[in-house]
Amino acid sequence: ENESMSDSLSDDCVSQEEDVMTPAELISKLEEAWLNEKFSPELLENRSEVVECVMEQLTHMESNLQRVKKGDAKASVHRMEIDRIRFVLSSYLRSRLQKIEKFFPHVLEKEKSRAEGQPSLLSPEEFAFAKEYYANTETYLKAVALKRMPPNLQAVDLLKAVPEPCLDSFVFLQVKERQENIFVEPETDDQREYVVDLEEGSQHLMRYRTIAPLVYSGAVQLI
Amino acid sequence: MTSLSTPRCFWLVRFAARETAMDPSEVEFLAEKQLVKIIPNFSLDKIYLIGGDLGPFNPGLPVEVPVWLALNLKQRQKCRIIPPDWMDVEKLEEMRELERKEDAFTPVPSPHYMELTKLLLNHASDNIPKADEIRTLVKDIWDTRIAKLRLSADSFISQQEAHAQLDNLTLMEINTVREFLLDSLNCMYKLRSNLQPGSRKGQLTDY
């Protein structure tokens, strides 16, 4: 009965990708998203499709395991694998929540100004969380301080009060698809701007702003 | 730092456990996905894991499994671990010499050589010939590389470089300098931008 567990993903999970992804490829996608999210200074686009497919795999495997007798040697190996995948999944989702808490006004602003058809930054659950976090922060600030201030000082603009993500941060990255003529901004006035080629497999330290589009497209992996 | 930037509602900035940094144990976690050969003392059919198929397992027949499973089986005395090819005194001695001779980082035999050495030597040292010598050699190689890394980080900062290529560095090595180096670079950037009057570039976050 174990054999049918992970042969291929359900239709829901493959329809969004052009090629059929194996469960192993799905797990690599999750790990890539996890590292990118950990190391990028800003909140990245949500990968709900990956999260949902991984969840489906885990639920499916867990329900299969319930039918297996206690002390089954294979089952214990499956459980260890499930725990490892769950760890990555939770860490990924937690790091997103932390960024939402840190940058909530900007995250919501970006989501508001998103053009129709453009993919959403937040999953529906994250969007609800961000809105609630915004409302709670506002209510809290009013209750503890603002209502005791003179009337002309009672308003607070959270967009100005909460720092924006610093896109000029340096990041480490590994190149997955060769890139030519990546622009490197000078650090000081007496330096000149220049371009570099990023060879496949090479690793670099540079500013996030320059290579952010390559992170979105998957051409580089943050490490 | 607060005096350098515009006043902000700093009471909104909270310190949380940094999920957006990487702990060495998480690098080790990634290393545990590497494959290693074991010789099982039990038999078991193929296991169809989400991440790929394993086995079948037959007593005495070598089979490749991820390190996390190899260590678990070893702890339950269900297998013997075959150390990776590079975990060999002669090969490591050559690598150590090369690493000391070259200014650049030499290619490493495994992207997780340090973690694997630590994991295998801590949990399966009885399966690894000359375990103590291997521990010392890998530590020597690591120390040489980290010294080079410190030197290049130092020159990166003092030359005010905007880009560096870091081939052959492993994730664990990057991780040892990550926070200190990146935070320093951000601080320097903030200081420099604030020197230029009217520059909006300096309006950086205040952690």
Side-chain angles (χ1 to χ4, degrees), chain B residues 56-105:
Chain B
F57 299 86
N58 291 302
L61 286 185
V63 59
E64 274 200 333
V65 295
V67 168
W68 58 265
L69 181 58
L71 294 179
N72 177 274
L73 292 173
K74 172 73 188 169
Q75 276 164 356
R76 294 189 288 141
Q77 294 171 0
K78 299 238 176 235
C79 78
R80 188 156 66 79
I81 295 180
I82 306 178
D85 287 343
W86 54 266
M87 213 174 265
D88 167 87
V89 171
E90 252 174 58
K91 284 186 183 139
L92 288 171
E93 270 170 354
E94 268 172 41
M95 278 181 46
R96 180 177 66 178
E97 291 326 302
L98 191 64
E99 194 66 65
R100 285 178 174 167
K101 213 169 68 192
E102 299 275 332
D103 285 334
F105 296 95

Side-chain angles (χ1 to χ4, degrees), chain A residues 113-129:
Chain A
S113 60
R114 173 170 62 95
E116 204 160 327
Q118 222 184 322
S120 154
L121 191 65
L122 301 166
S123 72
E125 295 81 6
E126 287 168 342
F127 185 55
F129 176 81

Side-chain angles (χ1 to χ4, degrees), chain A residues 71-132:
Chain A
D72 182 278
K74 278 184 177 179
S76 76
V77 178
H78 281 294
R79 287 208 181 85
M80 277 191 276
E81 192 200 26
I82 288 174
D83 288 344
R84 290 179 60 86
I85 296 172
R86 270 199 191 287
F87 169 77
V88 176
L89 190 62
S90 328
S91 178
Y92 169 65
L93 294 173
R94 261 200 315 270
S95 69
R96 290 186 57 83
L97 287 180
Q98 269 186 18
K99 281 191 197 168
I100 293 172
E101 288 188 6
K102 201 164 160 189
F103 305 122
F104 62 102
H106 308 284
V107 167
L108 284 169
E109 187 64 21
K110 212 169 165 183
E111 191 70 14
K112 240 191 277 170
S113 60
R114 173 170 62 95
E116 204 160 327
Q118 222 184 322
S120 154
L121 191 65
L122 301 166
S123 72
E125 295 81 6
E126 287 168 342
F127 185 55
F129 176 81
K131 276 196 299 191
E132 206 173 310

Side-chain angles (χ1 to χ4, degrees), chain A residues 151-167:
Chain A
N152 60 334
L153 292 175
Q154 282 193 2
V156 59
D157 183 354
L158 286 175
L159 262 178
K160 284 188 185 140
V162 176
E164 274 182 81
C166 173
L167 302 185

Side-chain angles (χ1 to χ4, degrees), chain A residues 81 84 101 164 188 203, chain B residues 14 32 51 160 166-167 205:
Chain A
E81 192 200 26
R84 290 179 60 86
E101 288 188 6
E164 274 182 81
T188 56
Q203 303 183 141
Chain B
R14 306 160 331 116
E32 285 168 357
Q160 307 200 342
L166 303 158
D167 293 350
T205 53

Side-chain angles (χ1 to χ4, degrees), chain B residues 114-139:
Chain B
M114 190 57 184
E115 305 90 294
L116 290 182
T117 305
K118 193 179 152 233
L119 286 168
L120 296 184
L121 288 178
N122 285 354
H123 299 286
S125 59
D126 55 330
N127 294 157
I128 299 164
K130 304 189 179 168
D132 286 337
E133 274 175 71
I134 285 172
R135 200 188 295 269
T136 314
L137 281 165
V138 172
K139 178 82 167 60

Side-chain angles (χ1 to χ4, degrees), chain A residues 15 39 53 55 66 79 88 100 107 118 121 152 165 182 185-186 195 204:
Chain A
S15 58
F39 298 136
C53 293
M55 283 299 292
Q66 285 192 333
R79 287 208 181 85
V88 176
I100 293 172
V107 167
Q118 222 184 322
L121 191 65
N152 60 334
I182 298 300
E185 260 190 78
V195 292
H204 303 264

